[in-house]
């Protein structure tokens, strides 16, 4: 039995996670998938009610009692500081040391690609985003805040250990999954200290993987190349912020944020799965949000937990839904969030 903590969060996070949970229940009922799901109400509502974002002892509990976490999205216009999202989402990524953020970019139906003359085979790569360092660590501050002389500092923290482990993970993934090409991307021409470390570590790590064709592109060039010819990429590895930006760009190549799942992993430990998208406040409560990213994230979770067949069943059902136009309006369909979830369940 594997235990999964479910954190629906805010806005459409709640709606899409409801559908992902429905799909997991369908697999549990029909296939006897041995899962126990426990839901937590962490999010803006609770934060506004009693000031709690990530409860005391919450991280320890997740680490000790659960093998996986399925999370929706955090962000609410009533919390302009975004403090609860930082505490919960980044709190879990950092607190559980989930250093691998894996974001697949896979075209499942050619009609969803905004590039001309491309086939499904041309857009199929995985982004590995460093997930515990970089500009996200929260080191910095403001001086003379609010005055005309204000100074703002946000430090970019990169460690040899942190850079090396994400590079090694990406190379290992490429080797294990039969992917031959890996591209590391940084901005070492403009950031010689922080990204000089990425360069030197990359030059060192790549020597250990002679079977993998590895190369480097600056992030600006990579952004251009991914659009010009996405078929040249199989595995991309980059820092936290660049990975964040690149993953939304990648999402749009395959149909948009409503279709983009992600995994936050520390191999062998409790790991967290989520759609790439946010809480989309304007869409919330309208049964319009696309639940497929969350459902695919649940699939990535099952794969991580070792339930490979159930994971492929989800993948197949989602591809079927796209081919048959059983989708929400963002993908040109006429179904609501709940109806897409029902359709996926009916295909399993
Ligand atoms: P967003 O991802 O919520 O929305 C961006 C655009 O994509 C919007 O037009 C939205 O309608 C659309 N979209 C997103 N998900 C969709 C779905 N499932 N189906 C259909 N359309 C979808 O990003 P944003 O507007 O920049 O941020 C809104 C809030 O979410 C902010 O508070 C932000 O900080 C937060 N956020 C949270 C996460 C997370 O929890 N992982 C990720 C990104 C943003
Ligand atoms: C994501 C989100 C988060 C990030 C935000 C909400 C802090 O955009 O998961 O991609 O930047 O990592
Ligand atoms: Mn993002």
């Amino acid at each position: 039995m594997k235990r999964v903590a479910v954190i629906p969060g805010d806005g459409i996070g709640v709606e899409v996670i409801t559908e992902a949970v429905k799909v997991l229940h369908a697999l549990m009922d029909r296939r006897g998938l041995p899962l126990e799901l426990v839901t937590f109400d962490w999010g803006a509502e609770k934060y506004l009610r009693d000031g709690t974002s990530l409860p005391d002892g919450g991280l320890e509990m997740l680490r000790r009692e659960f093998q996986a976490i399925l999370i929706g999205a955090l962000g609410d216009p009533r919390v302009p500081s975004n403090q609860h999202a930082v505490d919960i989402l980044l709190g879990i990524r950092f607190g559980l040391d989930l250093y691998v953020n894996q974001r697949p970019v896979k075209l499942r139906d050619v009609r969803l690609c905004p590039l001309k003359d491309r086939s499904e085979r041309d857009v199929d790569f995985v982004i590995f985003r460093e997930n515990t360092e970089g500009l996200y660590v929260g080191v910095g501050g403001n001086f003379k805040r609010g005055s005309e002389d204000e100074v703002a500092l946000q430090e970019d923290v990169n460690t040899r250990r942190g850079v090396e482990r994400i590079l090694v993970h990406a190379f290992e993934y490429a080797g294990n999954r039969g992917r031959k090409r890996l591209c590391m991307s940084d901005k070492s021409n403009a950031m010689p200290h922080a990204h000089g470390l990425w360069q030197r570590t990359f030059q060192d790590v790549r020597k250990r993987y002679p079977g993998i064709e590895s190369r480097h592109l600056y992030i600006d060039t990579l952004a251009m190349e991914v659009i010009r010819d996405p078929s040249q990429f199989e595995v991309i590895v980059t820092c936290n912020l660049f990975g964040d930006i690149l993953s939304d760009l990648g999402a749009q190549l395959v149909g948009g944020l409503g279709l983009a799942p992600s995994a936050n992993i520390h191999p062998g430990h409790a790991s967290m799965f989520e759609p790439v998208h946010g809480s989309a406040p304007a869409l919330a409560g309208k049964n319009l949000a696309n639940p497929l990213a969350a459902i695919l994230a649940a699939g990535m979770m099952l794969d991580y937990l070792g339930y490979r067949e159930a994971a492929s069943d989800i993948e197949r059902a989602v591809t079927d839904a796209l081919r048959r136009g059983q989708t929400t309006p963002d993908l040109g369909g006429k179904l609501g969030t709940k109806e897409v979830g029902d359709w996926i369940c009916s295909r399993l």
Side-chain angles (χ1 to χ4, degrees), residues 28 31 60 82 120 153 155 239 255 260 289-290 311 316 338:
M28 287 153 72
R31 304 286 180 81
E60 236 352 87
N82 212 31
E120 282 90 354
L153 296 176
E155 297 293 342
C239 66
N290 186 346
R316 248 193 318 275
K338 290 193 176 68

Side-chain angles (χ1 to χ4, degrees), residues 75-86:
D76 187 301
R78 294 170 300 169
V79 186
S81 67
N82 212 31
Q83 191 57 49
H84 71 298
V86 169

Side-chain angles (χ1 to χ4, degrees), residues 10-279:
D10 304 330
I12 65 165
V14 179
E15 295 167 67
V16 299
I17 290 299
T18 300
E19 300 315 308
V21 164
K22 208 154 84 182
V23 168
L24 291 174
H25 275 292
L27 288 165
M28 287 153 72
D29 294 346
R30 291 177 213 165
R31 304 286 180 81
L33 200 66
L35 286 182
E36 185 187 340
L37 308 180
V38 183
T39 302
F40 294 92
D41 65 349
W42 305 350
E45 210 58 58
K46 183 174 171 63
Y47 182 65
L48 290 166
R49 195 169 60 236
D50 64 16
T52 311
S53 51
L54 183 64
D56 284 344
L59 276 180
E60 236 352 87
M61 176 200 64
L62 291 174
R63 193 193 335 265
R64 272 215 295 267
E65 299 175 22
F66 293 91
Q67 283 74 52
I69 302 153
L70 182 64
I71 190 165
L74 292 150
D76 187 301
R78 294 170 300 169
V79 186
S81 67
N82 212 31
Q83 191 57 49
H84 71 298
V86 169
D87 292 353
I88 298 169
L89 184 71
L90 300 186
I92 295 173
R93 287 182 187 166
F94 283 74
L96 297 186
D97 198 28
L98 306 177
Y99 64 93
V100 177
N101 194 328
Q102 181 177 339
R103 298 187 153 184
V105 177
K106 182 178 161 64
L107 184 61
R108 296 163 194 278
D109 185 311
V110 73
R111 291 170 300 178
L112 299 174
C113 184
L115 306 179
K116 62 177 188 293
D117 304 329
R118 289 292 171 191
S119 75
E120 282 90 354
R121 262 178 301 127
D122 293 334
V123 191
D124 187 5
F125 59 91
V126 180
I127 299 167
F128 286 100
R129 165 186 180 189
E130 199 294 320
N131 212 30
T132 50
E133 300 194 341
L135 279 156
Y136 277 69
V137 297
V139 173
N142 297 77
F143 178 48
K144 301 185 183 174
R145 193 183 171 119
S147 79
E148 282 186 3
D149 298 324
E150 177 158 354
V151 178
L153 296 176
Q154 193 87 42
E155 297 293 342
D156 187 7
V157 175
N158 296 263
T159 68
R160 168 74 199 206
R161 198 189 293 274
V163 174
E164 179 160 345
R165 66 181 180 172
I166 187 67
L167 291 174
V168 166
H169 188 89
F171 273 102
E172 287 289 327
Y173 175 93
N176 295 334
R177 304 278 175 134
R179 306 259 185 160
K180 295 208 168 43
R181 278 175 292 184
L182 179 147
C183 177
M184 188 281 275
S185 188
D186 63 24
K187 191 69 188 168
S188 46
N189 49 355
M191 297 164 62
H193 309 303
H195 287 183
L197 176 63
W198 277 77
Q199 270 299 326
R200 284 179 279 115
T201 311
F202 176 61
Q203 296 311 336
D204 183 15
V205 171
R206 70 195 298 200
K207 290 196 196 99
R208 301 176 216 161
Y209 298 90
I212 293 166
E213 197 186 301
S214 58
R215 67 169 168 156
H216 165 262
L217 287 178
Y218 295 121
I219 187 67
D220 46 353
T221 304
L222 176 67
M224 178 269 287
E225 286 293 331
V226 162
I227 300 298
R228 189 185 67 79
D229 179 15
S231 73
Q232 61 187 301
F233 299 105
E234 294 187 341
V235 173
I236 294 172
V237 55
T238 190
C239 66
N240 207 337
L241 181 64
F242 296 170
D244 176 47
I245 299 166
L246 196 61
S247 55
D248 276 31
L249 186 149
Q252 201 55 53
L253 286 182
V254 300
L257 282 172
L259 260 186
S262 74
N264 304 263
I265 294 172
H266 186 124
H269 292 251
S271 293
M272 179 163 74
F273 301 82
E274 56 172 335
V276 172
H277 66 72
S279 57

